Amino acid sequence: MKTHKFQFKRNKMRGAFFLFMAPSFLGILLFVLLPFLDVFKRSFTTAVTGEFNGIQNYKTIFTNQAFVLAVKNTFRFTIVCIPLLVIVGLMIAMPLSRLKSAGMVKSLYLFPLAMPTATIVIVWKMFFYKQGFLNLFLTRLGELTGLWGEIHTDYLGSSAAFWVLVFSYVWKNTGYTVVLWLAGILGIPNEMLEAAKVDGASEWQSFFKIILPNLKGSLYTIVILSFLNSFKIYREAYLVAGAYPEQDIYLLQHLFNNWFVNLDFDKMAAAAVCVGGFLFIVIMLLQHMWDSRE
C-alpha cells in the first residue's frame, strides 16, 4: 500500500514538473530549435530557387576572404577579452569583498550595463576620434614635457580600433563579472579562512589554496557569459565605424549584416550553422572540463 502511495506521489510530482517546464520547452522548440532546423536545411540549398546543392554553400564561405577575416578577428577578440575580463573582474572583486559598503560599489560597476549603446559610442567617438579628447590630452602632455609634438592618431580608423573595441567590451562587462566574483567569494565560509590564518597561511596561500578552488562555479559562469557576450559586441563596432569598419574590427556580425543586406541567405545559413556548431562544441567542452575537475 505504501509503495503504491509513494509511486503515485512521485508520478504526481513528475507530472507537475513537466507541466511547469512545458511553456519553456515549447518556447525553445518554436523560437529556437525549429528556426535553426530551417536554417540548417537552407544551408544545403540555393538562395533563390531553393534547389539542393550539397555542401557547395560551405565550400563558398570557407573560401570567402571576408568570412575568413571575420572568423580570425572574432576569434582573436574572444581570446584576448575573456582572460582579460576574468582577471580584471577578480582583481576588483577581491578588495571589494572586504568592504562593508560593497553593495553601493557594486551598483556603480553595474552602471555601464544600464547605459544605452548609442550613448557609449558617442563617448568613444569623442574620446578616440582624430581630434578627440585623448589626442588633445597627449598633445598637451607633449607640449608640457617637450617630448613630442601634436598627436593626430586616428584610433578608430587604424589597427588601434581593435584595442578600442577591447577596452569598450571590458569596460561594459566588468560590472556583472565583479558581481559574480563577489557572490562566489562571499559564499566561502569564513571559518575556512580563519582556520587557514590560525595555521599560519599567508594571504597568497589562502587565495590559491582556499579561495580559488571554491570559485570554480563562478569561473564557469563568468567564462560562459563572457564567451557568449563577446559575440554580441557588434552594436558598438557597427555604430562606431559602420558596416565596413577598419579591417581589424571586421567581425562575424558585420559579415552577417552585409550578407543579409545583399540577400545572400544561402551563405548566411551555412555560416550560421558553422558558428552555432562551434559555440555548442565550446560550451560542451567547458562543461566537460568543469565536471571532470569536481
Side-chain angles (χ1 to χ4, degrees):
M1 187 67 179
K2 290 183 178 180
T3 304
H4 289 297
K5 285 184 178 181
F6 176 76
Q7 188 71 26
F8 175 77
K9 187 176 180 180
R10 189 171 66 174
N11 291 336
K12 187 177 180 181
M13 291 177 63
R14 187 180 298 170
F17 169 78
F18 284 114
L19 186 63
F20 179 77
M21 296 298 297
S24 298
F25 284 128
L26 186 61
I28 292 174
L29 178 66
L30 291 177
F31 300 110
V32 178
L33 295 180
L34 290 180
F36 186 78
L37 288 176
D38 182 65
V39 170
F40 182 75
K41 184 195 73 172
R42 290 175 182 271
S43 68
F44 296 100
T45 61
T46 58
V48 179
T49 62
E51 295 177 357
F52 180 79
N53 64 347
I55 60 172
Q56 184 58 44
N57 294 334
Y58 292 91
K59 291 181 179 179
T60 301
I61 64 170
F62 282 110
T63 55
N64 185 288
Q65 292 184 354
F67 178 76
V68 173
L69 175 65
V71 169
K72 183 181 74 171
N73 287 339
T74 305
F75 182 75
R76 178 190 175 201
F77 180 82
T78 302
I79 291 298
V80 169
C81 285
I82 292 180
L84 193 59
L85 186 62
V86 169
I87 294 171
V88 169
L90 183 58
M91 290 175 62
I92 296 173
M94 284 301 298
L96 280 182
S97 64
R98 301 186 181 96
L99 297 178
K100 294 182 179 180
S101 58
M104 184 180 298
V105 180
K106 283 193 297 184
S107 301
L108 293 176
Y109 276 104
L110 288 174
F111 178 71
L113 290 175
M115 292 184 65
T117 302
T119 304
I120 297 173
V121 168
I122 291 174
V123 173
W124 291 160
K125 283 187 175 182
M126 293 172 62
F127 196 78
F128 293 107
Y129 189 58
K130 197 172 183 179
Q131 285 82 31
F133 295 144
L134 181 58
N135 283 336
L136 291 175
F137 171 76
L138 293 175
T139 298
R140 182 60 177 166
L141 185 63
E143 291 175 353
L144 292 174
T145 59
L147 296 176
W148 58 77
E150 292 188 1
I151 303 294
H152 297 291
T153 304
D154 186 9
Y155 299 98
L156 300 177
S158 65
S159 59
F162 175 82
W163 298 107
V164 173
L165 197 62
V166 168
F167 174 78
S168 174
Y169 172 82
V170 173
W171 176 82
K172 187 173 183 180
N173 293 281
T174 296
Y176 80 83
T177 305
V178 170
V179 172
L180 291 174
W181 277 129
L182 277 174
I185 294 170
L186 297 177
I188 300 173
N190 287 327
E191 293 78 6
M192 295 176 63
L193 298 173
E194 293 297 332
K197 288 182 181 179
V198 171
D199 291 338
S202 65
E203 291 285 337
W204 285 107
Q205 287 175 329
S206 297
F207 177 75
F208 285 107
K209 299 293 184 179
I210 298 176
I211 296 176
L212 275 184
N214 283 279
L215 292 177
K216 289 181 180 179
S218 298
L219 178 61
Y220 174 73
T221 303
I222 290 169
V223 170
I224 292 297
L225 289 176
S226 302
F227 178 68
L228 295 177
N229 285 333
S230 68
F231 283 80
K232 301 177 184 178
I233 196 67
Y234 168 69
R235 291 175 299 176
E236 288 82 350
Y238 181 81
L239 291 174
V240 165
Y244 295 94
E246 206 282 329
Q247 181 172 296
D248 282 356
I249 60 171
Y250 187 78
L251 306 175
L252 280 170
Q253 295 90 334
H254 289 97
L255 185 71
F256 285 135
N257 175 76
N258 297 334
W259 278 350
F260 180 80
V261 171
N262 296 327
L263 303 180
D264 293 325
F265 297 129
D266 47 356
K267 290 191 289 187
M268 273 187 65
V273 170
C274 292
V275 172
F278 173 75
L279 291 176
F280 179 77
I281 291 171
V282 170
I283 292 174
M284 289 297 102
L285 285 175
L286 288 173
Q287 179 69 56
H288 177 72
M289 287 171 56
W290 258 260
D291 290 342
S292 62
R293 291 181 181 181
E294 293 180 356

